[in-house]
Amino acid sequence: MPKLSEYLRIKEAAAYLGVCEKTLRNWEASGKLIVYRHPLNNYRLFSIKDLDALIRKTERSSCRA
């Protein structure tokens, strides 16, 4: 696993994207986001790269509408 500094916990990731934590859990369940687990405490971790890719994808799709 890469450096933990490249990941955000669910609360941080929700703030980063401007959504609530429940939305992230739903996106995890639907396969929209890949979720990693902290090796010691099993917390959900979200890759900053994945979050940025989701933002870019959303921006591209909103430009087409």
Side-chain angles (χ1 to χ4, degrees), residues 27-61:
W27 288 350
E28 172 190 2
S30 70
K32 190 172 187 175
L33 269 178
I34 297 171
V35 177
Y36 304 90
R37 292 291 182 159
H38 190 284
L40 298 177
N41 57 23
N42 209 33
Y43 287 170
R44 285 179 174 87
L45 297 174
F46 297 86
S47 165
I48 295 172
K49 271 182 152 177
D50 292 346
L51 299 177
D52 287 340
L54 181 64
I55 291 169
R56 285 191 302 276
K57 182 179 177 182
T58 303
E59 288 172 346
R60 282 195 307 265
S61 65

Side-chain angles (χ1 to χ4, degrees), residues 12-34:
E12 299 164 327
Y16 190 81
L17 293 176
V19 299
C20 67
E21 295 172 32
K22 187 169 184 163
T23 299
L24 290 180
R25 290 185 190 98
N26 289 336
W27 288 350
E28 172 190 2
S30 70
K32 190 172 187 175
L33 269 178
I34 297 171

